[in-house]
């Protein structure tokens, strides 16, 4: 039997499938909760709710694409809140025997999972599963579509670095998203979060990666990186999605025009920050010295923010 449940944003047992069209108060509430978790983690004084707010909850990671940060931080976030975590090893599961994504999801739900954290190569895969199961579905990256917890953690890291994490009002800030925007689910979730919170966004890259059609998402599009750099408060650099793009120039050609090199980084304003969702292809989209520059790079702060954001996301979806 197929069961379809409507789950409005913000209700108990709800899904987190995308940031686009998420009501602003809900986004701010998630970010505030994540900020509080992050501050507690940093100060070493977690609040008492930590170990119990998801006690009895079963969270299942179903990752059909590779992951380091997202999978590990969802696991850590769930455990910090007292949940049990199941991990599907996609490469050695019954998927190899021909079982479908939907059947796999239903099987894991039937074992008692309350939340499925899903990463899949197909855009819309998480929506499809969410229509077929009763439990919560959290999108951990679906094809080129969205990666909502990444968008939230990028917004949290940006707001903290720029002193905007009291109210998450990013108005007046200008953010460049640099590189393979077209094929990036991170970019779509970042655009949704940054623009909803009031920042202006400029997507920069060669026309194949930053086509004019992106303007429909409420962003500017530019192809001259050197002209953009002095105008922005943050640059989110992206990995070329070699696994998703049909029109890749060579990495060397790309780097010549669009790598954020040490020389290019000197064009940034004082206080402008450098971001990357990881994994970084050093020497392609980002020079190693820029990635490791302690005065500008917040790449590891993004990773730390990811654990706190996933705690807040799990609480929202399956918390009491
Ligand atoms: C990203 C992804 O998988 O979408 N990684 C991540 O979750 N931090 C970005 C990428 O793979 O380039």
């Amino acid at each position: 039997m197929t069961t379809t449940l409507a789950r409005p944003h913000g209700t108990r047992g709800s899904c987190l499938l995308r940031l686009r069209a998420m009501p602003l108060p809900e986004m701010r509430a998630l970010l505030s909760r994540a900020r509080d978790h992050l501050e507690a983690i940093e100060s070493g004084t977690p609040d008492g709710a930590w170990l119990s707010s998801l006690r009895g909850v079963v969270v299942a990671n179903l990752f059909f694409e590779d992951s380091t940060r997202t999978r590990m931080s969802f696991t850590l976030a769930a455990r910090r809140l007292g949940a049990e975590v199941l991990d599907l090893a996609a490469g050695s599961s019954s998927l190899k025997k021909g079982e479908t994504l939907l059947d796999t999801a239903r099987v894991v739900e039937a074992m008692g999972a309350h939340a499925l954290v899903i990463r899949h190569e197909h855009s819309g895969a998480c929506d499809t599963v969410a229509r077929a199961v009763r439990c919560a579905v959290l999108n951990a990256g679906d094809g080129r579509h969205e990666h909502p917890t990444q968008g939230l953690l990028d917004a949290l890291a940006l707001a903290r670095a720029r002193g905007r994490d009291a109210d998450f009002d990013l108005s007046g800030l200008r953010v460049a998203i640099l590189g393979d925007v077209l094929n990036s689910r991170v970019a779509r979730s970042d655009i949704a979060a940054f623009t909803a919170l009031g920042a202006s966004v400029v997507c920069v890259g060669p026309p194949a990666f930053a086509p004019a059609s992106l303007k429909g998402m409420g962003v500017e599009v530019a192809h001259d990186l050197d002209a953009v750099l002095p105008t922005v408060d943050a640059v989110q650099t992206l990995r070329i999605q070699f696994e998703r793009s049909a029109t890749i120039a060579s990495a060397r050609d790309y780097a010549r025009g669009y790598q954020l090199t040490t020389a290019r980084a000197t064009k940034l304003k004082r206080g402008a920050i450098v971001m990357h969702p990881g994994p970084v292809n050093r020497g392609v989209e980002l020079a190693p010295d820029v990635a490791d520059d302690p005065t500008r790079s917040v790449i590891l702060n993004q990773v730390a923010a990811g654990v706190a954001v996933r705690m807040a996301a799990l609480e929202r979806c399956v918390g009491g």
Side-chain angles (χ1 to χ4, degrees), residues 5-319:
L5 284 188
R7 290 183 203 79
H9 272 308
T11 59
R12 216 177 139 176
S14 63
C15 297
L16 178 57
L17 300 173
R18 59 179 55 74
L19 296 184
R20 200 169 77 89
M22 177 183 276
L24 187 55
E26 185 183 344
M27 191 181 291
R28 287 215 162 104
L30 268 167
L31 289 167
S32 299
R33 182 71 175 149
R35 177 206 54 217
D36 293 348
H37 280 315
L38 187 53
E39 286 174 359
I41 293 167
E42 286 172 348
S43 68
T45 53
D47 76 48
W50 262 27
L51 292 175
S52 58
S53 71
L54 293 190
R55 186 168 293 149
V57 168
V58 177
V59 175
N61 286 327
L62 309 184
F63 278 58
F64 302 93
E65 280 190 347
D66 296 341
S67 172
T68 300
R69 294 153 196 76
T70 306
R71 184 183 193 127
M72 292 184 77
S73 60
F74 261 113
T75 299
L76 186 54
R79 291 202 179 130
R80 282 221 162 111
L81 297 170
E84 285 184 70
V85 180
L86 295 175
D87 254 299
L88 178 86
S92 56
S93 70
S94 290
L95 289 158
K96 286 269 187 193
K97 302 179 187 170
E99 190 160 65
T100 66
L101 167 65
L102 283 188
D103 283 336
T104 304
R106 289 188 186 112
V107 164
V108 177
E109 181 184 39
M111 284 176 200
H114 301 93
L116 307 180
V117 179
I118 300 177
R119 168 168 289 190
H120 199 275
E121 67 187 302
H122 290 138
S123 305
C126 298
D127 292 83
T128 305
V129 173
R131 285 192 292 272
V133 297
R134 288 173 180 275
C135 62
V137 174
L138 290 90
N139 180 357
D142 61 330
R144 298 178 176 81
H145 171 226
E146 276 224 35
H147 190 350
T149 54
Q150 182 73 43
L152 291 169
L153 77 86
D154 290 334
L156 175 55
L158 171 61
R160 285 192 107 211
R162 302 299 310 221
R164 304 292 186 97
D165 57 329
D167 56 5
F168 296 98
D169 180 356
L170 302 183
S171 51
L173 293 183
R174 180 169 158 83
V175 182
I177 301 182
L178 167 61
D180 187 2
V181 181
L182 182 68
N183 297 300
S184 170
R185 55 199 178 203
V186 173
R188 279 179 188 74
S189 292
D190 280 353
I191 290 168
F194 298 165
T195 57
L197 297 167
S200 61
V201 173
V202 53
C203 296
V204 193
F209 288 168
S213 58
L214 293 173
K215 289 180 188 165
M217 300 176 74
V219 300
E220 290 170 54
V221 171
H223 307 300
D224 183 350
L225 176 58
D226 296 288
V228 167
L229 288 175
T231 74
V232 297
D233 302 289
V235 186
Q236 165 82 316
T237 45
L238 299 173
R239 184 179 66 86
I240 300 176
Q241 302 289 292
F242 291 103
E243 67 274 42
R244 278 178 244 291
S245 177
T247 56
I248 299 281
S250 81
R252 213 175 33 198
D253 288 347
Y254 174 81
R256 202 171 304 127
Y258 292 97
Q259 182 186 129
L260 188 53
T261 59
T262 312
R264 286 195 174 116
T266 62
K267 299 187 171 139
L268 286 164
K269 288 195 262 189
R270 239 173 95 175
I273 58 167
V274 172
M275 309 173 69
H276 195 302
V280 177
N281 282 171
R282 288 171 175 257
V284 181
E285 68 271 12
L286 198 51
D289 286 352
V290 181
D292 300 331
D293 178 352
T295 66
R296 289 203 189 280
S297 171
V298 299
I299 294 173
L300 292 178
N301 303 21
Q302 290 170 265
V303 176
V307 178
V309 157
R310 284 158 187 142
M311 290 170 75
L314 286 167
E315 286 175 322
R316 168 197 175 274
C317 292
V318 285

